[in-house]
């Protein structure tokens, strides 16, 4: 509990076991809901006692924080990478941000799913929501830049476009399963639909 | 508890009070999460005692069922109306289904928000998820019909298109607030973006 760094806590046997507890906890949080899941549920799922779990992790909240920080760090890191990529106009930068968001979502699916379902009930949850808002603001800025450049339609509010675009990306957590998804193909599909629309490919060329 | 119809239960003073309890309960469920909200929380919010709440409604689960049934009935009713509309080709039918889904989502925002966050922990929740799946299947069938007709692009899996399209619609619950939204304008924006894409309007006419 004295550890405030969030990821480095070690109690008893560390490493592998702590990772296993985290993985099972996040899976249960996503399946049943965070509030409906007790440390006892996590212990039962792992065939351990509750005190064995507390040997590895200080609290349920600590597990939540570790997972949502994983998701937030990955999402923010992806946006930093996009920002650091040279030679992109604003339209291509936005496309790359969409692709990267899909990739992060697939690569960190349990953590991102948990993040997207966080309420603001506790300090850890409020902090996660605050970091999410900074991401949303960066994405909205990227849409604004793409609109200003003429790469994205200017007949709709850029903030609305940003919300719909990344709402689509975030909705993937409702049905994607890591084991059966081709992240590249999914990123292609999301980007194609978002930028080109549902309209028939063949019909479009007739217009 | 003897009442199994789900909406007609009356205990003590009915009508207005029962509606007030439902409204406040759903608002708390959405803000804090269903599992994190107790009947005591609902009572406190209304300035009532817990036993006064139980005078109006038999259980927390009953409140959940009433709200998710409201959402499901409205969504299914909207699809029935679309199906009963004469003279529409499959493409226009799909557009109308998207518009109607947005309208229902705005008109029944608290109930739809709650529905979209239901886990499958209890019989009521499992039943809600099963009804949601029948809606998803009808929407996927509408996309398939529009693809077969040539109104929607055929280079992506229709099921994937359906999931992304209605994932976008469902993502509205994350940021829309009933008091400041123009449902018609929102339905226009979602339909335009989904069918025509983000690509610049002016640039498109140059192609």
């Amino acid at each position: 509990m004295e550890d405030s760094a969030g990821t480095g806590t070690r109690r008893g046997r560390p490493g592998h076991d702590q990772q296993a507890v985290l993985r099972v906890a996040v899976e249960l949080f996503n399946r049943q809901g965070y509030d409906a899941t007790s440390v006892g549920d996590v212990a039962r799922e792992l065939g351990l006692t509750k005190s064995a779990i507390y040997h590895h992790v200080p609290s349920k909240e600590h597990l939540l924080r570790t997972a949502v920080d994983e998701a937030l760090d990955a999402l923010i890191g992806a946006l930093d990478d996009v920002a650091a990529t040279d030679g992109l106009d604003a339209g291509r930068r936005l496309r790359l941000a969409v692709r990267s968001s899909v990739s992060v979502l697939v690569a960190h699916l349990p953590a991102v799913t948990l993040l997207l379902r966080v309420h603001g009930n506790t300090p850890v949850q409020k902090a996660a929501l605050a970091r999410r808002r900074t991401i949303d603001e960066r994405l909205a800025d990227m849409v604004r830049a793409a609109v200003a450049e003429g790469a994205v339609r200017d007949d709709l509010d850029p903030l609305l476009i940003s919300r719909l675009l990344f709402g689509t990306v975030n909705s993937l957590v409702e049905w994607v399963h890591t084991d059966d998804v081709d992240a590249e193909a999914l990123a292609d599909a999301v980007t194609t639909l978002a930028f080109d629309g549902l309209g028939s490919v063949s019909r479009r060329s007739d217009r």
Side-chain angles (χ1 to χ4, degrees), chain A residues 181-199:
Chain A
V181 73
D182 176 343
E184 278 297 302
L186 189 60
D188 284 342
V190 171
T191 317
T192 299
L193 274 189
F195 284 83
D196 299 335
L198 283 178

Side-chain angles (χ1 to χ4, degrees), chain A residues 59-109:
Chain A
S59 66
K60 187 172 101 160
E61 188 89 349
H62 177 89
L63 290 165
L64 177 69
R65 183 175 56 177
T66 306
V68 298
D69 280 348
E70 175 197 323
L72 287 160
D73 291 346
L75 290 165
I76 291 167
L79 289 187
D80 289 344
D81 288 346
V82 171
T85 306
D86 287 329
L88 292 183
D89 57 31
R92 287 181 195 285
R93 205 172 283 281
L94 180 61
R95 264 180 197 263
L96 184 58
V98 171
R99 291 197 66 91
S100 298
S101 301
V102 173
S103 301
V104 167
L105 183 141
V106 172
H108 300 268
L109 188 61

Side-chain angles (χ1 to χ4, degrees), chain A residues 46-189:
Chain A
L46 281 160
L48 297 173
T49 60
K50 245 169 83 166
S51 69
I53 298 289
Y54 284 120
H55 195 68
H56 296 302
V57 290
S59 66
K60 187 172 101 160
E61 188 89 349
H62 177 89
L63 290 165
L64 177 69
R65 183 175 56 177
T66 306
V68 298
D69 280 348
E70 175 197 323
L72 287 160
D73 291 346
L75 290 165
I76 291 167
L79 289 187
D80 289 344
D81 288 346
V82 171
T85 306
D86 287 329
L88 292 183
D89 57 31
R92 287 181 195 285
R93 205 172 283 281
L94 180 61
R95 264 180 197 263
L96 184 58
V98 171
R99 291 197 66 91
S100 298
S101 301
V102 173
S103 301
V104 167
L105 183 141
V106 172
H108 300 268
L109 188 61
V112 174
T113 302
L114 187 60
L115 172 67
L116 294 177
R117 294 177 181 168
V118 157
H119 293 95
N121 296 341
T122 65
V124 166
Q125 295 178 33
K126 285 191 214 311
L129 291 182
R131 287 186 80 194
R132 260 198 79 183
R133 275 193 295 276
T134 66
I135 294 175
D136 291 343
E137 282 159 19
R138 287 179 70 175
L139 296 173
D141 283 342
M142 297 178 83
V143 172
R144 277 185 206 103
V147 171
E149 187 191 77
V152 165
R153 58 190 316 134
D154 59 5
D155 59 343
L156 291 172
D157 176 12
L159 180 60
L160 175 60
I161 291 179
S162 170
R163 282 166 160 169
L164 292 173
L165 180 56
F166 291 96
T168 308
V169 172
N170 291 342
S171 76
L172 297 176
V173 303
E174 299 300 328
W175 60 271
V176 165
H177 302 286
T178 324
D179 31 351
D180 65 2
V181 73
D182 176 343
E184 278 297 302
L186 189 60
D188 284 342

